[in-house]
mmCIF file of all heavy atoms in Angstrom:
data_model
loop_
_atom_site.group_PDB
_atom_site.id
_atom_site.type_symbol
_atom_site.label_atom_id
_atom_site.label_comp_id
_atom_site.label_asym_id
_atom_site.label_seq_id
_atom_site.Cartn_x
_atom_site.Cartn_y
_atom_site.Cartn_z
ATOM 1 N N VAL A 187 120.050 91.316 177.925
ATOM 2 C CA VAL A 187 120.930 92.452 178.042
ATOM 3 C C VAL A 187 121.015 93.201 176.703
ATOM 4 O O VAL A 187 120.941 94.376 176.621
ATOM 5 C CB VAL A 187 122.324 91.995 178.507
ATOM 6 C CG1 VAL A 187 123.352 93.155 178.409
ATOM 7 C CG2 VAL A 187 122.277 91.459 179.912
ATOM 8 N N ARG A 188 121.178 92.412 175.584
ATOM 9 C CA ARG A 188 121.306 93.055 174.339
ATOM 10 C C ARG A 188 120.010 93.750 173.926
ATOM 11 O O ARG A 188 120.051 94.829 173.283
ATOM 12 C CB ARG A 188 121.689 91.959 173.248
ATOM 13 C CG ARG A 188 123.142 91.549 173.390
ATOM 14 C CD ARG A 188 123.633 90.710 172.152
ATOM 15 N NE ARG A 188 122.867 89.423 172.158
ATOM 16 C CZ ARG A 188 123.334 88.310 172.783
ATOM 17 N NH1 ARG A 188 124.323 88.378 173.520
ATOM 18 N NH2 ARG A 188 122.677 87.202 172.653
ATOM 19 N N GLU A 189 118.875 93.165 174.237
ATOM 20 C CA GLU A 189 117.566 93.811 173.965
ATOM 21 C C GLU A 189 117.471 95.160 174.616
ATOM 22 O O GLU A 189 116.939 96.138 174.086
ATOM 23 C CB GLU A 189 116.431 92.928 174.448
ATOM 24 C CG GLU A 189 116.238 91.671 173.611
ATOM 25 C CD GLU A 189 115.135 90.789 174.266
ATOM 26 O OE1 GLU A 189 114.539 91.187 175.272
ATOM 27 O OE2 GLU A 189 114.864 89.696 173.677
ATOM 28 N N LEU A 190 117.957 95.239 175.855
ATOM 29 C CA LEU A 190 117.789 96.531 176.651
ATOM 30 C C LEU A 190 118.862 97.563 176.367
ATOM 31 O O LEU A 190 118.666 98.703 176.598
ATOM 32 C CB LEU A 190 117.787 96.129 178.122
ATOM 33 C CG LEU A 190 116.573 95.346 178.678
ATOM 34 C CD1 LEU A 190 116.876 94.861 180.037
ATOM 35 C CD2 LEU A 190 115.380 96.230 178.674
ATOM 36 N N SER A 191 120.006 97.099 175.904
ATOM 37 C CA SER A 191 121.171 98.015 175.832
ATOM 38 C C SER A 191 121.642 98.249 174.407
ATOM 39 O O SER A 191 122.488 99.175 174.190
ATOM 40 C CB SER A 191 122.296 97.528 176.680
ATOM 41 O OG SER A 191 122.854 96.248 176.156
ATOM 42 N N ASP A 192 121.279 97.431 173.425
ATOM 43 C CA ASP A 192 121.797 97.485 172.051
ATOM 44 C C ASP A 192 123.275 97.060 171.955
ATOM 45 O O ASP A 192 123.902 97.252 170.932
ATOM 46 C CB ASP A 192 121.696 98.930 171.525
ATOM 47 C CG ASP A 192 120.356 99.110 170.731
ATOM 48 O OD1 ASP A 192 119.748 98.109 170.380
ATOM 49 O OD2 ASP A 192 119.947 100.260 170.510
ATOM 50 N N HIS A 193 123.868 96.616 173.025
ATOM 51 C CA HIS A 193 125.206 96.025 172.998
ATOM 52 C C HIS A 193 125.236 94.958 174.041
ATOM 53 O O HIS A 193 124.446 94.913 175.001
ATOM 54 C CB HIS A 193 126.250 97.135 173.128
ATOM 55 C CG HIS A 193 126.097 97.898 174.433
ATOM 56 N ND1 HIS A 193 126.494 97.494 175.638
ATOM 57 C CD2 HIS A 193 125.609 99.141 174.617
ATOM 58 C CE1 HIS A 193 126.252 98.395 176.562
ATOM 59 N NE2 HIS A 193 125.694 99.431 175.944
ATOM 60 N N GLY A 194 126.224 94.103 173.869
ATOM 61 C CA GLY A 194 126.357 93.023 174.848
ATOM 62 C C GLY A 194 126.990 93.476 176.186
ATOM 63 O O GLY A 194 127.407 94.641 176.310
ATOM 64 N N PHE A 195 127.152 92.517 177.143
ATOM 65 C CA PHE A 195 127.791 92.879 178.419
ATOM 66 C C PHE A 195 129.269 92.657 178.286
ATOM 67 O O PHE A 195 129.696 91.640 177.837
ATOM 68 C CB PHE A 195 127.190 92.027 179.516
ATOM 69 C CG PHE A 195 127.798 92.313 180.820
ATOM 70 C CD1 PHE A 195 127.477 93.455 181.573
ATOM 71 C CD2 PHE A 195 128.756 91.478 181.359
ATOM 72 C CE1 PHE A 195 128.076 93.754 182.770
ATOM 73 C CE2 PHE A 195 129.384 91.781 182.613
ATOM 74 C CZ PHE A 195 129.019 92.977 183.297
ATOM 75 N N ARG A 196 130.064 93.632 178.706
ATOM 76 C CA ARG A 196 131.527 93.589 178.694
ATOM 77 C C ARG A 196 132.033 93.720 180.145
ATOM 78 O O ARG A 196 131.600 94.529 180.865
ATOM 79 C CB ARG A 196 132.057 94.662 177.831
ATOM 80 C CG ARG A 196 133.638 94.826 177.980
ATOM 81 C CD ARG A 196 134.234 95.830 177.025
ATOM 82 N NE ARG A 196 134.313 95.247 175.699
ATOM 83 C CZ ARG A 196 135.002 95.867 174.693
ATOM 84 N NH1 ARG A 196 135.698 96.903 174.938
ATOM 85 N NH2 ARG A 196 135.048 95.244 173.500
ATOM 86 N N PHE A 197 132.952 92.776 180.427
ATOM 87 C CA PHE A 197 133.641 92.790 181.677
ATOM 88 C C PHE A 197 135.166 92.962 181.353
ATOM 89 O O PHE A 197 135.630 92.280 180.498
ATOM 90 C CB PHE A 197 133.430 91.556 182.524
ATOM 91 C CG PHE A 197 134.123 91.529 183.879
ATOM 92 C CD1 PHE A 197 133.475 92.136 184.896
ATOM 93 C CD2 PHE A 197 135.345 91.054 184.013
ATOM 94 C CE1 PHE A 197 134.074 92.137 186.205
ATOM 95 C CE2 PHE A 197 135.976 91.005 185.291
ATOM 96 C CZ PHE A 197 135.331 91.606 186.370
ATOM 97 N N SER A 198 135.780 93.910 182.010
ATOM 98 C CA SER A 198 137.274 94.129 181.706
ATOM 99 C C SER A 198 138.104 94.164 182.982
ATOM 100 O O SER A 198 137.597 94.396 184.110
ATOM 101 C CB SER A 198 137.417 95.431 180.937
ATOM 102 O OG SER A 198 136.927 96.522 181.650
ATOM 103 N N GLY A 199 139.373 93.930 182.741
ATOM 104 C CA GLY A 199 140.333 93.925 183.925
ATOM 105 C C GLY A 199 141.678 93.501 183.409
ATOM 106 O O GLY A 199 141.881 93.172 182.271
ATOM 107 N N VAL A 200 142.596 93.478 184.369
ATOM 108 C CA VAL A 200 143.964 93.037 184.059
ATOM 109 C C VAL A 200 144.146 91.562 184.403
ATOM 110 O O VAL A 200 143.668 91.093 185.493
ATOM 111 C CB VAL A 200 144.972 93.836 184.862
ATOM 112 C CG1 VAL A 200 146.402 93.388 184.632
ATOM 113 C CG2 VAL A 200 144.838 95.341 184.473
ATOM 114 N N VAL A 201 144.699 90.838 183.527
ATOM 115 C CA VAL A 201 144.975 89.423 183.693
ATOM 116 C C VAL A 201 145.909 89.107 184.863
ATOM 117 O O VAL A 201 147.047 89.706 184.897
ATOM 118 C CB VAL A 201 145.466 88.752 182.376
ATOM 119 C CG1 VAL A 201 145.738 87.219 182.621
ATOM 120 C CG2 VAL A 201 144.467 88.943 181.231
ATOM 121 N N VAL A 202 145.479 88.313 185.800
ATOM 122 C CA VAL A 202 146.317 87.889 186.934
ATOM 123 C C VAL A 202 146.622 86.433 186.799
ATOM 124 O O VAL A 202 146.081 85.613 186.079
ATOM 125 C CB VAL A 202 145.526 88.138 188.222
ATOM 126 C CG1 VAL A 202 145.237 89.649 188.354
ATOM 127 C CG2 VAL A 202 144.260 87.342 188.325
ATOM 128 N N LYS A 203 147.629 86.091 187.565
ATOM 129 C CA LYS A 203 148.091 84.704 187.578
ATOM 130 C C LYS A 203 147.143 83.879 188.440
ATOM 131 O O LYS A 203 146.836 84.232 189.624
ATOM 132 C CB LYS A 203 149.482 84.595 188.126
ATOM 133 C CG LYS A 203 150.205 83.278 187.760
ATOM 134 C CD LYS A 203 151.704 83.421 187.915
ATOM 135 C CE LYS A 203 152.423 82.144 187.305
ATOM 136 N NZ LYS A 203 153.923 82.314 187.361
#
Side-chain angles (χ1 to χ4, degrees):
V187 171
R188 287 190 292 274
E189 288 175 1
L190 292 167
S191 66
D192 267 344
H193 54 79
F195 180 76
R196 167 174 286 195
F197 183 85
S198 58
V200 176
V201 177
V202 299
K203 199 162 190 176

